[in-house]
Amino acid sequence: MADPQPPVAKLGESGLDKVTAGHGQAKASVEIMEPIPKALQLRLEFTSISGTVPKLFGQPTLLSRLRAGKVAAKEHQQASERQILFGITGSCNPGEVLALMGPSGSGKTSLLSVLGGRKPKAMRLSGVPHYNGAPLTKRAKRQVGFVLQDDLLYESLTGHETLYFAAMLRLPRAMTAAQKTERVLTVVTALGLDKCRDTIIGGFFRRGISGGERKRVSVGHELLINPSILLLDEPTSGLDSTTAMHLVATLRPLASVGRAVVTTIHQPSSRLYTQLDKLLLLSEGHAMYYGQASLAADWCSERFLTAHPDGYNHAGAVHEAGLGNQLWSAAQSRKQLSPGLPIQAAAPEPLSQHHQDWDQDQDRDRIASSPSASSSHDIELAVGEGLAAPPVGLGPDGRKVNRWGASYTQQLKFLFVRAVKTRRFETMSVQDIVQLLIVGLLCGLFWLQRGQSATVRGASDVTGLLFFQLVFLSFRSMFAALFTFRNEFKMMLKERASGMYRLSAFYFARTASDLPMELSLPTFYIVLMYFMSGLRLSAGAFFANWMAVMLVTLVAQSFGLLVGATVMQPKTAQTIVAVSMLAFMLVGGFYVSAIPVWISWLKYLSFVYFGYNLLIKIEFGGRTIYDCGGADVADPQQHPELCHPVPSLQQALHLQESPDAWPWEVLVLLGYLLFWRCMIYVALRRKTSGV
């Protein structure tokens, strides 16, 4: 006889209607998520989890280095280790809600990150959490949902767009696009996000949805994959009591259909506390209590009465009416079992073996009697024997589940569209449009039709225009790209840890999005400046000028992305880019043409040098320029007595390359572009290694 199908979790079954009744809304019984098949249920176990982190000190100053020497400076940088977790043991079964509680700094977030396979690289760990008896693998991470304390969401996307792109990238390939869209609508309705589905997430400088809605979007981001285990870090942080109760009450129906839920909670209300099954109470990295949440008060009282047999105040104040039958009996039994023992103050210590044994003995009875287990035969467990399930990462039929939800081409497609949407406000902003139009208009007015002059004096002015055109866009693009990956790095780590996409797909899609987003506005600037200044009026020269400037702009952007991907300190990154760009300008060939031999090799490291020479060849290649003795004559050919053609424009304008030479600089710039783009990928790969 086949096992009965477990019921679908509904918000109406969790008592959530009573919570929201005060708002005058009758919430319908909405299906929040389908049940977890028994073959995909996971039991989380962790035994003797201990962790240490380096105790970092400030970086030594240059003065301290000179005074103390290299050895002392090196010793100053060496960090001693500090233990933050001490032998934590526990478990969470399907159908349970385990809460990690304790004061700030007790190790809740550190332990949760270890359980979710997201421990910091600097942490040295002993003890490994197991899922169905096996360590967590990258493929198995797709069955684990992890909600961070800080809501890492793209501010420019709406709530629906955020969940849509997550569904298209994370849900299995076997699902059609219509099924994935239907899953998004289900999550939006179940979490009460209908009213804000088309509102942007927003941030500090741009208003969007409320804090509670942001948190529910973060939870929905993980619920899309229907995870077997859901981990939440401080989901009620920053929320009012009603919103917090609304959110935590949702965890009960999520767990009731075969899902294990582990959450950290700080200062829960009494109503919120009743939604919990298990409690792991932490203090300074030590486990103070582990077991049923409803028995935590009794257990802590017994520990106190063991150390203080005379009661809470004094012997005269301790009586059965004041303590209650259970606590009074416990106190009397403690005094009878340990008469005359010295009184010791209770101190944080690892999990008591007595209580651990008690918890294992009571697991089956508690789960069988809980509402989540009594409604489903599939959630019955044999504690101590584990689940009769295949290893994590396998489907119900025992076959391997593909680690990536979307194919590589689909990842490129959706990541490209998302990258364009996330940058729609910043790239096409009014400020950028006004900036480029004003600078282009000023350039056109300052060099008004100077490009039509055929004299050496006019050509000298045009070289200044070409150099400014190149440097202005390079500076703008480089500094704008400097903070690109720094702003997206945490989001990238979060999504990569969830197995959302390949790093190469993210990088190629992000690079491809640069073309329409970074080249559109500079094009208007080039058109305005080019024709107002009267540069070479031919279609070939115009498009060659545009392509050359765009190529140099992409090279400059690549350098900014490379520095931003390798240096995470903003001031350090800005200093590196500013000094490098100034060096590139000085050796570019406009300010100084006769650079000393011993330092002239620096020009071959400057993309400004190659870009400037390329623009000179495009503008003056094949043209005849006249020397009119320093005068600026409108038509030099009409004044042969004053003007004569210059035999070498390179010598006349003090150029480093002949304008009539073959434009080999294009190949060098393309080489720089490819090299720096590859180095960016290598830097990102190193930064995200182990995720």
Side-chain angles (χ1 to χ4, degrees):
M1 181 177 180
D3 292 337
Q5 185 70 16
V8 177
K10 299 181 179 181
L11 290 179
E13 298 174 356
S14 65
L16 194 57
D17 295 336
K18 300 178 181 178
V19 178
T20 57
H23 296 278
Q25 299 177 354
K27 198 171 186 61
S29 177
V30 182
E31 296 183 356
I32 187 170
M33 199 58 59
E34 61 267 24
I36 304 296
K38 186 174 182 180
L40 294 181
Q41 294 176 10
L42 297 180
R43 183 177 193 267
L44 170 62
E45 300 174 290
F46 46 100
T47 305
S48 300
I49 299 293
S50 299
T52 59
V53 295
K55 188 177 181 181
L56 299 178
F57 297 94
Q59 296 293 328
T61 62
L62 179 61
L63 183 59
S64 66
R65 290 176 182 269
L66 296 176
R67 287 180 176 178
K70 294 183 179 180
V71 177
K74 184 177 181 180
E75 292 178 354
H76 180 75
Q77 284 186 319
Q78 291 178 347
S80 60
E81 289 188 334
R82 179 171 62 92
Q83 188 167 359
I84 58 175
L85 296 176
F86 298 83
I88 309 297
T89 299
S91 66
C92 186
N93 302 313
E96 290 181 341
V97 178
L98 169 63
L100 310 180
M101 290 179 55
S104 299
S106 60
K108 303 186 299 295
T109 298
S110 298
L111 178 59
L112 192 71
S113 63
V114 170
L115 300 182
R118 305 187 183 209
K119 76 173 186 66
K121 292 182 180 180
M123 179 185 290
R124 187 168 59 87
L125 185 67
S126 64
V128 179
H130 289 81
Y131 295 78
N132 288 356
L136 185 65
T137 61
K138 289 185 177 181
R139 180 177 283 105
K141 279 187 178 181
R142 295 199 69 253
Q143 296 175 240
V144 179
F146 197 104
V147 180
L148 300 174
Q149 179 178 358
D150 298 326
D151 302 318
L152 293 178
L153 302 171
Y154 285 106
E155 299 179 359
S156 301
L157 297 181
T158 65
H160 181 266
E161 288 174 341
T162 300
L163 298 178
Y164 172 80
F165 287 117
M168 294 301 170
L169 292 170
R170 298 186 68 180
L171 292 180
R173 302 185 187 184
M175 297 180 63
T176 63
Q179 291 174 329
K180 294 180 180 181
T181 304
E182 182 65 25
R183 173 70 66 86
V184 173
L185 296 178
T186 300
V187 172
V188 167
T189 304
L191 294 179
L193 298 172
D194 303 83
K195 294 183 178 180
C196 64
R197 54 167 293 170
D198 295 325
T199 305
I200 63 172
I201 300 298
F204 186 79
F205 295 102
R206 187 177 291 112
R207 295 190 61 181
I209 60 180
S210 65
E213 291 168 339
R214 285 174 62 94
K215 184 63 66 174
R216 277 179 279 164
V217 171
S218 298
V219 175
H221 196 282
E222 301 302 319
L223 290 183
L224 286 171
I225 63 171
N226 195 26
S228 299
I229 291 184
L230 182 62
L231 307 177
L232 305 98
D233 188 13
E234 296 284 1
T236 61
S237 178
L239 305 181
D240 59 84
S241 58
T242 302
T243 306
M245 183 61 191
H246 187 153
L247 181 62
V248 176
T250 308
L251 303 181
R252 167 50 50 204
L254 291 177
S256 66
V257 289
R259 186 179 289 105
V261 178
V262 183
T263 179
T264 63
I265 297 181
H266 186 69
Q267 294 181 342
S269 63
S270 57
R271 292 190 304 165
L272 190 152
Y273 188 81
T274 58
Q275 300 292 325
L276 309 176
D277 292 324
K278 274 185 176 179
L279 172 66
L280 177 57
L281 187 61
L282 299 173
S283 177
E284 297 183 0
H286 297 267
M288 304 298 294
Y289 173 83
Y290 167 68
Q292 288 183 272
S294 59
L295 301 180
D298 295 341
W299 173 257
C300 296
S301 298
E302 289 183 14
R303 285 178 59 89
F304 181 85
L305 292 174
T306 302
H308 304 82
D310 293 333
Y312 292 100
N313 298 310
H314 50 81
V318 179
H319 48 82
E320 184 175 359
L323 294 179
N325 296 331
Q326 293 183 352
L327 291 182
W328 175 258
S329 301
Q332 297 301 316
S333 63
R334 296 290 184 182
K335 293 178 66 175
Q336 294 174 3
L337 291 175
S338 56
L341 291 180
I343 297 176
Q344 298 178 355
E349 61 183 21
L351 181 64
S352 168
Q353 183 64 36
H354 165 75
H355 184 70
Q356 185 177 0
D357 295 338
W358 170 87
D359 181 68
Q360 293 179 351
D361 294 337
Q362 297 297 324
D363 265 343
R364 179 188 294 274
D365 295 336
R366 187 187 55 75
I367 295 175
S369 61
S370 65
S372 60
S374 60
S375 61
S376 174
H377 176 72
D378 278 354
I379 308 179
E380 293 180 359
L381 301 173
V383 178
E385 299 177 1
L387 289 170
V392 286
L394 300 183
D397 55 357
R399 297 181 180 179
K400 279 189 175 182
V401 179
N402 196 296
R403 179 186 171 191
W404 311 105
S407 64
Y408 195 80
T409 55
Q410 289 176 332
Q411 292 180 20
L412 289 173
K413 170 187 173 182
F414 291 113
L415 288 173
F416 173 80
V417 176
R418 190 184 72 170
V420 173
K421 285 182 174 290
T422 54
R423 302 166 64 192
R424 54 191 169 189
F425 293 116
E426 59 185 55
T427 304
M428 292 296 180
S429 64
V430 177
Q431 293 86 346
D432 288 340
I433 296 176
V434 173
Q435 177 196 38
L436 289 174
L437 289 180
I438 290 178
V439 174
L441 182 63
L442 290 177
C443 289
L445 293 176
F446 293 156
W447 280 276
L448 188 62
Q449 296 301 311
R450 293 299 292 162
Q452 295 300 305
S453 175
T455 64
V456 173
R457 181 178 177 180
S460 179
D461 291 341
V462 171
T463 58
L465 172 63
L466 296 178
F467 187 80
F468 177 81
Q469 175 192 21
L470 192 72
V471 170
F472 168 68
L473 293 179
S474 298
F475 254 109
R476 177 183 177 274
S477 180
M478 183 181 296
F479 278 92
L482 188 60
F483 302 102
T484 297
F485 289 122
R486 182 179 180 271
N487 296 334
E488 297 183 2
F489 187 68
K490 290 184 178 180
M491 179 70 72
M492 184 170 55
L493 288 180
K494 168 194 169 184
E495 295 177 340
R496 286 275 296 141
S498 303
M500 198 166 176
Y501 47 71
R502 296 178 183 270
L503 179 61
S504 58
F506 170 82
Y507 179 64
F508 290 146
R510 181 64 176 76
T511 302
S513 68
D514 291 336
L515 297 178
M517 305 301 288
E518 292 293 335
L519 305 184
S520 54
L521 288 181
T523 298
F524 295 110
Y525 162 78
I526 293 175
V527 171
L528 183 62
M529 179 274 304
Y530 191 94
F531 291 103
M532 286 189 66
S533 60
L535 295 179
R536 199 168 187 174
L537 297 179
S538 68
F542 169 75
F543 286 107
N545 178 283
W546 177 83
M547 293 179 64
V549 174
M550 293 296 99
L551 178 58
V552 175
T553 300
L554 290 177
V555 172
Q557 183 202 42
S558 301
F559 183 78
L561 290 174
L562 178 60
V563 175
T566 53
V567 181
M568 290 299 169
Q569 294 293 333
K571 290 186 178 180
T572 304
Q574 286 179 329
T575 302
I576 293 175
V577 168
V579 173
S580 300
M581 191 60 190
L582 289 175
F584 293 159
M585 289 173 53
L586 293 177
V587 298
F590 177 75
Y591 293 110
V592 181
S593 58
I595 303 176
V597 178
W598 60 275
I599 200 175
S600 62
W601 57 271
L602 286 176
K603 65 183 180 182
Y604 298 111
L605 302 179
S606 171
F607 62 87
V608 177
Y609 168 78
F610 298 105
Y612 176 62
N613 288 334
L614 181 60
L615 291 180
I616 291 294
K617 292 179 179 181
I618 294 173
E619 180 64 25
F620 296 107
R623 288 180 59 181
T624 301
I625 302 297
Y626 294 86
D627 185 1
C628 299
D632 189 13
V633 180
D635 190 0
Q637 294 182 355
Q638 301 298 325
H639 303 277
E641 71 285 354
L642 178 63
C643 304
H644 58 274
V646 295
S648 175
L649 187 59
Q650 179 181 359
Q651 295 180 357
L653 298 178
H654 305 286
L655 302 176
Q656 296 187 4
E657 292 285 338
S658 172
D660 296 323
W662 185 73
W664 54 271
E665 292 85 358
V666 176
L667 300 179
V668 179
L669 291 173
L670 289 174
Y672 267 118
L673 179 63
L674 295 176
F675 175 74
W676 280 343
R677 291 286 176 170
C678 292
M679 292 303 297
I680 296 170
Y681 178 77
V682 173
L684 293 177
R685 173 64 67 182
R686 289 176 60 88
K687 289 285 186 180
T688 59
S689 61
V691 177

